[in-house]
């Protein structure tokens, strides 16, 4: 049973040029807030204020989905396949039912017509698993202990009609004697992609270099595992879900259960990490809803840590062969990427769009293996692609006798190289200059490996591009209450990035009230539509929606206040949280007074994210550059990252402290990807051996370098009325490439097999 192509791929590859006119609701100049340009005088927006929910989070009072306990709640556990590939797996439900406290067992047979997941004909369970971790059954019990005991009983009694040969390694899968997983072959060539004529470009080159880069399977490693709590009241279902998309889960649950969307409410309050693995509907949510309906009680299902490693997606591995050609002066004439990897491992965005190069050739082959579907992970494809591209450029710079920074300056793209469009803003050169200065680029040894050692230091850099204009149709409401407080309502969720805070800042700014007077409801499908938090779209899509809603409330307050002040609406204005006669600093009415005196319950402003007339035809992207300093112990192979300077553009940083925090988190995950993280498959067993936080290595506190975030660039005049672009994903992209380059600068060796564990480094150094 094939897994359906997850709907969220469409969401993150969202393309403005394919949007309908309706979606791109044209700006109504009367109904729109004024765009906050570079010279706007703002009081709350742009300030590095602490998170509005910071105290709740640090004192443990913030309720994460995993914390939800409802009266009478039952507990579910998923039984996942221990077989990488089998047919006719039999679940012995009776073995679990014998366990005291176990109430029910769900299997493919027992669910019958209910065994339906999403709208694509997929099932909740299989009896023919194709990877370790596929759903076989679910157990329901009165306690989580009993549910786990029931799961253990089933796991111990599993039998299969046939255990089939498996393959979990991409290179094994290509061998002639490999078990065939696909129809004709385990390999499927992707659509070729060419710009210009790469062969001609290489022909025109004075210098050509090539490089092979390998990257490993990384997992999202969310601290809060995946899970749901489902509760019915009559025909209405409420789901608390640890999700990056409450609306996405609502639609998926409704479709799976065959109930109207309006009968389903999905809530996500606080979240312990998603990183792309929680963008879509998951099976446990549907199972919890089915159990809850059948037994008339709320049901909670959370995956355990090992299950989290097995069946919530991963960043697929890659094998990349890269080639670059340039003229003597460094002008790129051709770039080429030929890559292979498990399904979804395409990683060509950086090579096709970051640098000016007329000829680019991309070929990719997906290879079928028994390891379950990958999922988007923070900048899907890009840390991998960047880890190949940036070292390729440094190798080229070496061959040309050029400084790597000069080579990148030389190939700066004035316009979007894929389509010739102008950029809304492009401060990449400033990212280069400020980053280079902050790291002390002049200290870089021109001759790689010339540090006498044995512990050698080196500097390296990388750059990055990301589409960051956000998505259409996001809506919000701004409610002004009789006490003068303001309440923002928007469906989108705060996945830990600080969305709550920046949205409150925008409402406070537009209505002229202190931030403490603004509260917010988000992560709830009872609030106006806000889409999934993926693709770095949340800030650029939600900020203008809230801005527009606050503006609408402002217009309504002015209209209500004018007659109360005995004036015409055009003669009064809202300033400093009061509606006053134009030009006057005295008198007037506070917002609460207006609501009270107008004798209304509240004043509700509504807003939608709209698009600037020049948006279509403009490339709205964010650039960044990172500079890493590393220390390589050439005797032990240990690499330590000492410092990363990360200069990134996000247009207006509504809250520079939170923007810097996004950069820090991205760099830390980039360090994990470069040096530590690798989910290891046992080729013989087809299982994964390090499915816990002891054996799966993340960067620990002593491994985290000094990180210097630098926010570069003016507010973007095109992206939205706030001038803010997305920043969630960009900072994870260039870190690994910069580290590989720094290791080369330190040692003179190309370590191109990530993560750079000591054994791999020693091998690259020729020491083992
Ligand atoms: Mo992101 S990988 O689009 O959550």
């Amino acid at each position: 049973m094939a897994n359906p192509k997850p709907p969220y791929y469409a969401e993150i590859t969202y393309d403005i040029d394919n949007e309908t006119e309706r979606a791109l609701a044209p700006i109504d100049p009367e109904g729109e807030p004024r765009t906050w340009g570079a010279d706007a005088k703002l009081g709350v927006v742009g300030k590095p204020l602490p998170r509005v929910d910071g105290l709740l989070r640090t004192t443990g009072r913030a309720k994460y989905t995993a914390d939800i306990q409802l009266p009478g709640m039952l507990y579910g556990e998923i039984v996942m396949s221990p077989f990488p590939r089998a047919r006719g797996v039999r679940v012995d439900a009776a073995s679990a039912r014998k366990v005291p406290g176990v109430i029910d067992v769900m299997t493919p047979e027992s669910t019958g017509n209910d065994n339906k997941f999403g709208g694509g004909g997929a099932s909740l369970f299989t009896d023919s698993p194709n990877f370790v971790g596929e759903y076989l059954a679910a157990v329901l019990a009165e306690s989580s202990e009993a549910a786990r005991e029931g799961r253990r009983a089933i796991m111990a009694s599993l039998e299969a009609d046939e255990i089939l040969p498996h393959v979990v390694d991409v290179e094994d899968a290509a061998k002639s004697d490999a078990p065939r997983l696909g129809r004709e072959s385990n390999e499927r060539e992707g659509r070729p992609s060419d710009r210009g004529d790469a062969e001609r470009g290489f022909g025109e080159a004075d210098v050509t270099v090539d490089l092979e880069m390998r990257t490993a399977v990384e997992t999202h490693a969310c601290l809060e595992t995946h899970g749901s709590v489902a509760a019915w009241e009559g025909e209405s279902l409420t789901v608390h879900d640890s999700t990056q998309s409450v609306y996405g889960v609502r639609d998926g649950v409704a479709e799976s259960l065959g109930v109207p969307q309006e009968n389903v409410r999905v809530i996500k309050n606080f979240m312990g990490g998603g990183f792309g693995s929680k963008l879509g509907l998951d099976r446990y949510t549907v199972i919890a809803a089915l159990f809850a309906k059948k037994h008339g009680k709320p049901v909670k299902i959370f995956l355990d840590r090992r299950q989290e490693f097995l069946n919530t997606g991963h960043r697929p591995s890659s094998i990349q062969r890269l080639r670059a050609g340039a003229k003597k002066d460094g002008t790129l004439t051709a770039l080429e990427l030929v890559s292979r990897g498990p399904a979804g491992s395409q990683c060509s965005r950086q090579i096709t769009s970051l640098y000016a190069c007329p000829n680019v050739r991309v070929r990719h082959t997906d290879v079928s293996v028994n390891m379950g579907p990958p999922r988007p992970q923070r900048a899907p494809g890009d840390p991998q692609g960047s880890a190949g591209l940036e070292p390729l450029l440094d190798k080229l710079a070496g061959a040309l006798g050029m400084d790597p920074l000069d080579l990148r300056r030389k190939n700066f793209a004035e316009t979007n190289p894929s389509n010739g469009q102008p950029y809304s803003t492009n401060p990449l050169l400033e990212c280069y200059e400020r980053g280079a200065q902050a790291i002390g680029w002049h200290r870089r040894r021109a001759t790689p490996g010339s540090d006498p050692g044995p512990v050698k230091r080196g500097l390296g850099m990388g750059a990055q591009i990301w589409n960051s204009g956000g998505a259409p149709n996001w809506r919000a409401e701004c409610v002004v209450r009789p006490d003068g407080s303001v309440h923002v309502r928007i469906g989108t969720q705060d996945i830990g990035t600080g969305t709550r805070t920046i949205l409150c800042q925008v409402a406070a700014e537009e209505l002229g009230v202190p931030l403490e007077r603004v509260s917010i409801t988000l992560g709830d499908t009872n609030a106006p539509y806000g889409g999934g938090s993926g693709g770095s779209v949340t800030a650029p899509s939600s900020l203008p929606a809230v801005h527009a809603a606050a503006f609408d409330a402002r217009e309504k307050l002015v209209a209500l206040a004018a007659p109360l002040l005995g004036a015409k609406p055009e003669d009064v204005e809202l300033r400093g949280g009061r509606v006053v006669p134009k030009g006057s600093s005295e008198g007037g009415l506070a917002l609460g007074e207006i609501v009270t005196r107008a004798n209304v319950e509240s004043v509700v402003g509504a807003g939608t994210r709209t698009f600037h007339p020049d948006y279509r035809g403009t490339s709205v992207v964010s650039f960044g550059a990172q500079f890493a300093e590393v220390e390589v112990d050439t005797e032990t192979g240990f690499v330590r990252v000492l410092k990363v300077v990360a200069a990134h553009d996000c247009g207006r940083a509504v809250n520079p402290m939170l923007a810097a925090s996004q950069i820090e988190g991205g760099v830390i995950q980039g360090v994990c990807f470069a040096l530590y993280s690798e989910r290891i498959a046992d080729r013989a067993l087809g299982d994964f051996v390090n499915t816990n936080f002891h054996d799966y290595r993340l960067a620990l506190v002593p491994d985290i370098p000094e990180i210097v975030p630098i926010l570069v660039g003016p507010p973007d005049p095109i992206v939205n009325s706030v001038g803010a672009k997305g920043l969630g994903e960009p900072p994870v992209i260039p870190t690994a490439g910069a580290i590989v380059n720094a290791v080369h600068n330190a040692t003179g060796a190309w370590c191109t097999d990530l993560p750079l564990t000591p054994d791999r480094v020693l091998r690259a150094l020729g020491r083992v």
Side-chain angles (χ1 to χ4, degrees), residues 12 244 275-276 279 376-380 533-535 729:
I12 60 162
Q244 295 172 239
F275 313 113
L279 269 171
Q377 181 167 346
R378 201 168 186 172
S533 292
E729 283 154 307

Side-chain angles (χ1 to χ4, degrees), residues 426-448:
N426 180 351
L428 180 58
L429 292 175
E430 195 187 337
C431 294
Y432 288 156
E433 303 322 317
R434 290 179 63 186
Q437 196 182 10
I439 197 84
W441 188 249
H442 62 275
R443 296 181 294 127
R444 179 182 175 276
R445 291 167 189 268
T447 308

Side-chain angles (χ1 to χ4, degrees), residues 496-538:
T497 55
T499 304
R500 269 191 185 83
T501 306
I502 60 173
L503 295 181
C504 288
Q505 282 178 267
V506 163
E509 185 75 52
E510 184 64 28
L511 291 167
V513 300
L515 186 59
E516 308 80 69
R517 300 291 282 152
V518 184
S519 59
I520 184 166
T521 293
L522 47 55
D524 187 340
T525 53
N526 273 6
Y529 173 78
S533 292
S536 306
V537 303
T538 310

Side-chain angles (χ1 to χ4, degrees), residues 600-623:
V600 290
E601 219 172 277
S602 58
V603 171
V604 182
T608 303
R609 190 267 160 102
T610 53
F611 285 88
H612 190 285
D614 296 337
Y615 194 108
R616 205 189 284 265
T618 303
S619 283
V620 180
V621 301
S622 41
F623 289 98

Side-chain angles (χ1 to χ4, degrees), residues 8 133 202 204 206 306 388 530 665 751:
Y8 41 79
F202 283 114
E204 290 166 0
D206 296 320
R306 174 166 158 79
C751 303

